Amino acid sequence: MPKDGKLHGIDTSHHNGDIDWHRVHNSGFVFAFVKATDGLDYLDPTFVDHFAKAQKAGILRGAYHFYETNDDGARQADWFIKNVTLEPGDLPPVVDIERIKPPVAGNLHEQFGIFLTKLEQHYGRHPIIYTGRKFWEHAMREHFPRNQLWIAEYGVDEPTIPVEWADWSFWQYTEELTVPGVPTAVDGTYFNGDRKSLRAILIPAK
């Protein structure tokens, strides 16, 4: 498994089944983003288990929310905060925004900005934004310079990022990765930096 000098991670949800996190860690994977919530009332049934076991196995863990554009941004933030406790040393919170689901609740940019602000105020770190370039340039075209970009693009040597960002922090380069300890194919991600850079973005000690 990973021997190319890059910092590799995966992201998981209930679709990936029962994961042996120690095998994942022993295979060279450094971090994992675990699906937590979706919209106003969905909690991934494997979140609590995956989130705890990833940390116990020595993997840097993060949690992500799937943003529903037809739901209120503030209430989505409250739902995530209610279900996700991030500790010092965890990755910043992540919001996955990749589709428009009508009818859009209010002003999309304003609602999304409220969501980001509430998470930042609660966790003490700017949320990471996961998206695709085509979606972002079509639907958002919004500048969030303080938020790191996790870009999704497959089958390329380097991702093409939206003009609103100078660079990417994380790159989801495949959705068909085979990883020891994970019973299904899983999404694979690189971090754009070294271990010191990765540690610098973690939730700080209070």
Side-chain angles (χ1 to χ4, degrees):
M1 291 308 289
K3 294 180 181 179
D4 55 9
K6 298 177 181 177
L7 299 183
H8 288 251
I10 59 174
D11 61 275
T12 68
S13 71
H14 67 278
H15 295 294
N16 301 115
D18 188 19
I19 296 173
D20 184 334
W21 288 99
H22 287 282
R23 288 188 67 194
V24 175
H25 180 259
N26 292 339
S27 299
F29 290 87
V30 174
F31 61 89
F33 292 110
V34 181
K35 180 164 186 185
T37 53
D38 186 325
L40 300 176
D41 57 8
Y42 179 81
L43 175 65
D44 189 289
T46 61
F47 169 67
V48 173
D49 182 67
H50 282 178
F51 200 58
K53 289 181 178 178
Q55 182 191 48
K56 189 174 182 179
I59 292 175
L60 294 176
R61 63 182 187 173
Y64 73 91
H65 173 83
F66 191 93
Y67 191 89
E68 298 286 5
T69 59
N70 60 327
D71 290 332
D72 180 80
R75 291 175 60 200
Q76 290 192 69
D78 290 340
W79 178 243
F80 182 85
I81 290 167
K82 178 180 178 180
N83 288 284
V84 178
T85 299
L86 297 178
E87 300 175 357
D90 287 338
L91 288 157
V94 178
V95 55
D96 174 342
I97 182 167
E98 59 182 86
R99 72 181 185 196
I100 296 292
K101 186 176 181 181
V104 173
N107 180 290
L108 175 58
H109 293 166
E110 180 181 351
Q111 289 290 318
F112 189 61
I114 290 170
F115 177 93
L116 295 175
T117 298
K118 292 201 74 167
L119 263 61
E120 175 193 342
Q121 291 173 343
H122 182 79
Y123 295 107
R125 279 286 188 260
H126 302 299
I128 298 166
I129 297 174
Y130 169 97
T131 195
R133 178 181 60 85
K134 291 181 179 179
F135 167 81
W136 191 268
E137 293 181 350
H138 171 73
M140 298 299 290
R141 298 181 183 176
E142 185 76 1
H143 192 45
F144 294 105
R146 298 183 301 173
N147 297 85
Q148 298 179 83
L149 172 65
W150 178 11
I151 190 73
E153 188 174 7
Y154 313 139
V156 296
D157 293 330
E158 288 288 336
T160 302
I161 63 175
V163 296
E164 288 81 9
W165 276 278
D167 206 350
W168 55 273
S169 295
F170 295 90
W171 169 27
Q172 187 186 87
Y173 62 92
T174 182
E175 57 183 351
E176 299 179 342
L177 191 64
T178 298
V179 175
V182 183
T184 66
V186 68
D187 301 330
T189 290
Y190 296 137
F191 174 67
N192 192 13
D194 57 17
R195 289 180 181 270
K196 182 178 180 181
S197 299
L198 184 58
R199 287 195 298 270
I201 71 170
L202 302 178
I203 299 292
K206 296 183 178 179

